[in-house]
Amino acid sequence: MEGETAVVSTGDIEHKRNISSPFNPNYSHQQSRTTPTNIHSNTNISISKRGLSAEERHTLPEIPRNPLTASVAHVVSRELGENFLKTPIRPETVKKLVVSGNVDDFSHRAYVQHLREIQAKREYQLQKIGHDEQAFLLADIQAHENDDTEDKTHLSSLYINEEALTRDQVILPRDFLSFNLQKHIKQEKESKDGEKQETDTDKKLPKLTHQMKSKSFNSIWKDQISVAERDFSRGRLQMIDNFTTYNINPRYDETRSNQLITKIPPNKPPALLPVFEAIPSEIIFTRYRVGDVHETTLNLRNLSSVAHSCRVIPPKTPNFCVSLSQYPSGHSLVATGLSVVYNVKFAPDTLGVFEDEIIVQCSNGTEFSVKLLAKRPPPVLTLPALVDCGYWLAGGRKICEFKIRNDGGEGRFALVPATSWPAVNFKAVIRSDTVHIPPFDIASPTLDLRSGDTFPLKISFTPQSTGEFTNEFIMICDNGEISRYTLKGVAQTIQIRLEDVEGGLVDLNELEIRDISTQYSINFISITPFSYCQKRILIKNLTNVELPFVWTLLEPVLYNREDFADQTQPVEIERIVCESSPFNIQPNRGTFPPSSIVEFHLVFAPSQIGNYHTVFHLIIPNAPIYPTSVSSPEHTDHTKNSTNERAPSSDILSRNSSKMSAIPSASIQYADQTVLRFEARGICENFKYIFDPFALMFMDKLYKNISYRKDFQFSNTSISPLIINWMSVVGDEIINVEPVAAEIPPDATCQFTLILTGTKTGLVKVEVPYEIDGIDEYGYFHVEAEIIGPDVAIDPAPIDFGLVEYGETIEKIIKIKNTSPIIAKCRVEEVNKNESKPVLSLPDNTEITLKPIEVYEFPIRLLANEEGSLLHHIEVIIEDGKTIPIEITAIIQRPSAYISPVELNIQESFVNVPVTRYVEIYAVNALPTHFQWGEVTCSDKDQCILEINPRQGTIYDGKSISIEITFIPQQCGKLNDDWHIPCYIQNSSQPIFLKLNALIKTMNLEFRLNDNTFQFDEQFILDFNRVPLGEKSCLELIITNLTDIQSGIKANVAKFKTRVLPTVNEQTNQNFEPINQEVGIGFHLNKSETDIYNLPPRGTVTIPISVISSMWGTYTDLLQLQIDGIDTIKEIPLQVHITGHPIKTYLCANNKSNSTSLPIVQFGSMLHNSLPIKKKVHMQNISHIPICIDWVVYDITEDATDRPKFIELIPVIDNNPFNHFASETTIMENNSEIMSQTTISTKTSSRAPSAISSQSSISLIDNRPTQLIKLYVEPYRGKRASDNNPIFTTSPITQVIKPREHFYVDITMLPRNCPIKDRPIKCNARVCGILSVTEDRQGSPSQGFQRKIYYEHEEQVEFRINGSLDIPSLRVELDDDDCNVEKLEALSFAIPVGDILSCQPNLYNCTLPLTRKSSRRTSVKSSTQNHDEKIYTHTLNLLNTHQYTIPFELDISDSSFLKIQPTTLTTLTPQSKLNVQCQFHLSQELIDRFYTSNLNANPSLLSKIKQTTTVEYGRRIQWQEHLTVNFTQNEMKQIIPIDIRLYFPILTVNHDSIDFGMCFIEQTRQKELILKNLTGSSSAWSIRKVHANNPDAYEAFRIEPKSGILKTQLNSKEKSAQQVISIYFTARHNHTYECQLLVEGLLDEPPISILLTGEGTFDGKYEAIHDI
């Protein structure tokens, strides 16, 4: 049966240790009794064993259930215990180790090989055990098959194959049975073998299995004890076991093999804490030695509040021991806070790790352990596992030193060869001073290192042959640890190879003669003496050993080809060291690094011309002698005929054998070894050079007695530097070369300077000698030059006296300059001198001596005694030079001049305005011409005034002079024709004349205004046109002077003048105001009456005229101009029309409208029937006179039925529209008739308001002349507000405002007067203020101003009023957690009806449900007043988004299960909100209302709701309620929907019928039924029996539990719940039982019917092993 468990226990306590062994005589009997139980596959069998806990029993192999597949592992595990259960090394692990074992480590390979042998042996043993195990099983099966009686079941050993088991060394039954019993068993065995026909084991097994299944064990149950007796026996055994536990020594408690009975772990109470504390909690020994006893103290302190005693169980190992306790008060009780002291001693016999523990048992029944640990920190050495000695030469010895540092604990070590370990006698292994492991020697066999110590380990490597050597040695520590190390060394021979030679090598076969022992030949290029040539040579050390070297230079031993051919045996020669060789190699000695290339430089530096040849030998000094040396390939190739050479190396080589002084000379031999031989050849030749230029020639002429330098180049084309020396030349000329000596590198050029000094004039040709080092003969360099005397220059040459006035004597200076660098001597002589008429006059001394670059001034005088042209000559004669001729010329004349122009005409001139003109006087020749002006010759000299500048002067060099003539008219008209001005020339008999003509004019002006031009005599007006009130306007009058007369203008305003206001805060603009404030107008000029506007000749002047006013009206005035040069005063009329009004309104206009928009008074939004609202409008009279304002309100409606109007006719009687409202009303009633009779077109409304003239009026005249009616046409502003129930009113209606006064106008909005109540409406109006002044301030034309009032005034005070009346509404804001997914605008309640169960804790006597967690979307609050209800609260916010206050009340549609807060009258201010709580009360009464039976009986409720049924949510009922907002100011309402959903649970079961089948009588069987609730609502369920086929059936079936609650949560991830119901069936009689069960729910769940069936029987095969 599913879910059943059978427990089998044994009652034979005496044979408890052998009960599971197959050799036990009772083993076969017990197996036969448990066989029926093993047939069931779902039955678990456990055999209790004393001494094993539940955890230990689980680790043991399972007892076999089927004999065909059974094993004896459980038997072996019980006997061997932990050793059998240890995890062995698997074959896979061995396989991996074999793969990784293919390494060079010998120890690893040996370990893997040994492991493979053990694994193979293990596999063989496992195969034998398998065969033996199969033999045991077959024998047991045969014993069960062939036994006729129960008395012989223990003789199963008769069927064991003893021969096979004896071969496998298995203990047989005969080894412990008596002789007679063995004989009896043997006879039975022989008789059985005769009856057997089939011996095949494979054919036998199926038959045996079939017979075992067919065998019945019905009689076994009769021998078992009853349940009551079994419980009593178990209790007695438990008591016995408890007694024995106290008396057993706790030290041997772990060795107890079994317990008396199998213990089932009871439900233990919570573990108690120990009352003692161990100080320290763990005892650790770190520094100890063998043979010493170490001791420490253990304190056990009482931590509890009462006195306790304790017991200490000593350690188990003999190395630790604990002393007797030392109590603080002399008795075994330890008080609170005191400690009991124990001394713990430790005596190690080795330096290994020791672990143990001390168990402390407290008097409260608790115990704890104190760990004991002895562990010395192991030493840690820095020596690597591979000790590499590197490379060395075979036959030599290398001493290596390795630093060993101990980073761990203290330790002593011994070093032994690996071949000597393990050693029988350890002292015999390390008795010597060194550890000899050929070819290695270790210096110290023992080490003693403390922590941090460093020891140098010296190892000697002495190889006798080439190759790699590895050996192992063992390092044993005193703590028993063993470390294995490997020594490694490589032996090589000396091998040197020539890698590369710069420029290459010469083939030895091509040489006719070469050295006898050379391997290579190197040739150098030809060079010159004292130069050198270098080649780079690369030589590689082919070994990994550092090799010292030294070079030896030897004289060659030359052999030709025939000598080499004739040589058949080695020749012994004696080498001679070359002492003076031009060859040199660097470095000449040093060391070859291991396996590296060394660079050498071979230098050829000869000092004399010739051929050179030298041999180089590379020698390795003190090289160890290797008996079987192998020559390098280079040796075999180039030394076919070997030679025995003896060189005097003792003189040139340094022997450094101090390193090997400690090595015995008998075992190691050293000698110098030559490893490389080559010869070097070179040739030294003569120099090569060239001059540039080849000969030096001075192309310029050279002055006598002066040294001249000239450079030339000397190029060395040789491959080596040369040295040149120059000789001097002394004679008529002196020649030197600098530098005298120079060293010139190869392919270089040197610059020399030749110095030449000539002592005589003439041509010079000279050969200059030079000498080159290394050349015996002189060389010569050719030089040519020309020597000259001094040079003289004359300035000027020729001499020109130019134009000379007759009779004058003129002197000129000529400059005689010595242009040469030497002294010059010369004299001056006149050519063809005439003594009678001398022309020139020279000084008395004409001999001149000039130094180099000296200038001498020589005077020459000309005598002008004759008019005409003059030509004469003089000469300058130079000593040792040439003669220089000088030509002298001159022109002799008298002075003369003329005027241009001769006649001067002045076309236009003005009185007292000077006019300047210019004339030129030209000289005829270059002589100085003196002139002077005379007086005017005319009949009337008063017409003008003349000024001449200059009046006299001199003209030089035949040029002209400009004469300035200033003409100042004095009288109007034309000058006479006889106006002439004379000019006199010096030494001239007649003067020259200038004629003058002119026309004289007077003053004239021109005016320009804007784009119009007016003459002085024309009349015009300065009109400012329309100027807004309070603003400045400016006109500019431009006056142009049409003449060249300088003038000035004074400007003045006749009436309305202004005064300048003082500036504030450095204000740049000039402010002004009218002087007469009552008139309120002023014309302003930027200058005062006394200031003058300057009017330049032919220029303009601008006179700005500004106007400012504080009052409307039309104003006129005069601008008076007084002009210099004109006797009359010019008057120009001024006119301006001031528009606007002086009332300033402190309101803002609409920014979105144009600039002409009116200011607006905003009342905002209000509710219908709300209280009146008053606002004040701030205004100011900015004028200086009182003003009367009459306010008129016009309503602007949005009624589309009104006929549109464009103009309005306003009647006025007796010029006062506000004193006769009755007459005005009468005329306004006939307004439509008047409009139809007038000729004014309605199209005039499209014009601007200013276009409708305020003076366009229509007079209606009747027979009564006393009444005068005026009709004013105004733009339509709206419907004039009525006096009854107006929406907007003003207060006061009429008011007089004082000058500069601030005042307020009250605007009142009356929402109750609005006729429309049922919809939102906009209320707009326009307020117009009609302005007027008193009659004396209206003005007249004589006063210069006029003002219009009332409707004749064009602009009035206007502003708009805007407001709106709304119906009340509130914005609903739901909490995020309360929002419903299906309907966001509704308040949602999702209620699982199962939550009511939490309010009924005693329902069906079930356990109280856990506290229900709140849903994410629903906030649940339990009611504390009524325990039968569940309250759900949702919150919402009512927000007033308007700009007015809203009063309201809240109401709910169904208050039986819905409640709201608040319920009183509430008022919301603008932009505020109210938190409203809506509560849903879930009660049993409400749930009963929605039961299916009640809904069917209530059609009205059924039509209101909506039902749906799903597996996930169960039965869902949904309907809507609403929350009403009642506004108190009107009868309007606002509805807020409430969505309600109730979830009813549905129950399901996994089986609708349960059949127990055939059951043994009086045995109870159990089956399970799963009841599930898959919905989101909890369910309270109950199960009952409703029907049975007989009365006993009610008692035969038992149900547990019978009722309960399945708790679920709505909107939860795991919202399903289930209950496992156990159904028990106990048959009392052997007949069929049937019973009908009904599962019902408290919350209207659909009932579920379940059928139970079962049958009782006495048949033993249906009996269960374990009864429930």
Side-chain angles (χ1 to χ4, degrees), residues 528-531 686-689 714 716 718 720-727 739-746 750 752 770-777:
T528 57
F530 302 105
S531 63
N686 199 356
F687 294 100
K688 297 178 182 180
Y689 56 89
F714 181 85
N716 181 15
S718 305
S720 61
L722 60 83
I723 299 174
I724 185 173
N725 297 311
W726 292 93
M727 308 301 176
V740 178
E743 181 179 357
I744 304 173
C750 181
F752 292 93
Y770 60 89
E771 181 183 6
I772 295 177
D773 290 355
I775 301 177
D776 298 335
E777 298 180 357

Side-chain angles (χ1 to χ4, degrees), residues 386-592:
L386 178 62
V387 182
D388 192 356
C389 295
Y391 298 84
W392 197 244
L393 299 178
R397 173 174 293 175
K398 180 181 181 181
I399 305 298
C400 301
E401 185 175 299
F402 298 91
K403 298 292 185 179
I404 301 178
R405 187 179 68 256
N406 184 10
D407 293 337
E410 180 183 358
R412 291 180 296 174
F413 305 90
L415 279 67
V416 297
T419 57
S420 302
W421 184 261
V424 178
N425 188 357
F426 181 72
K427 295 183 179 180
V429 177
I430 60 172
R431 62 186 177 181
S432 60
D433 294 338
T434 60
V435 180
H436 183 60
I437 309 174
F440 302 97
D441 288 327
I442 304 177
S444 178
T446 58
L447 305 177
D448 189 359
L449 297 178
R450 296 183 180 179
S451 178
D453 289 352
T454 302
F455 179 79
L457 182 65
K458 295 183 180 181
I459 300 176
S460 173
F461 177 46
T462 311
Q464 297 300 321
S465 62
T466 59
E468 181 178 346
F469 299 90
T470 57
N471 273 322
E472 293 184 350
F473 68 92
I474 303 297
M475 183 178 291
I476 304 105
C477 184
D478 56 359
N479 63 356
E481 294 182 359
I482 297 175
S483 301
R484 185 180 296 268
Y485 295 91
T486 302
L487 293 172
K488 180 182 178 182
V490 180
Q492 295 179 340
T493 58
I494 299 175
Q495 293 183 7
I496 299 296
R497 183 175 63 194
L498 181 63
E499 289 289 330
D500 184 31
V501 177
E502 184 179 359
L505 297 172
V506 179
D507 189 2
L508 297 179
N509 297 326
E510 297 179 358
L511 297 177
E512 292 293 336
I513 298 175
R514 62 182 176 88
D515 185 73
I516 185 173
S517 63
T518 184
Q519 297 173 341
Y520 308 98
S521 179
I522 302 174
N523 283 359
F524 286 86
I525 60 174
S526 300
I527 59 176
T528 57
F530 302 105
S531 63
Y532 72 94
C533 181
Q534 179 177 290
K535 284 194 175 186
R536 181 173 58 89
I537 300 176
L538 300 179
I539 300 176
K540 183 176 182 180
N541 179 12
L542 298 180
T543 62
N544 292 324
V545 181
E546 186 179 272
L547 299 177
F549 67 89
V550 63
W551 288 96
T552 303
L553 277 66
L554 305 175
E555 294 290 343
V557 178
L558 301 177
Y559 271 43
N560 54 20
R561 295 181 181 178
E562 289 76 9
D563 296 337
F564 282 107
D566 297 340
Q567 182 183 356
T568 58
Q569 294 181 357
V571 180
E572 183 176 354
I573 60 175
E574 184 175 355
R575 288 288 188 176
I576 300 175
V577 178
C578 184
E579 299 292 344
S580 60
S581 175
F583 296 97
N584 185 22
I585 190 167
Q586 290 295 333
N588 60 353
R589 62 179 61 245
T591 303
F592 281 107

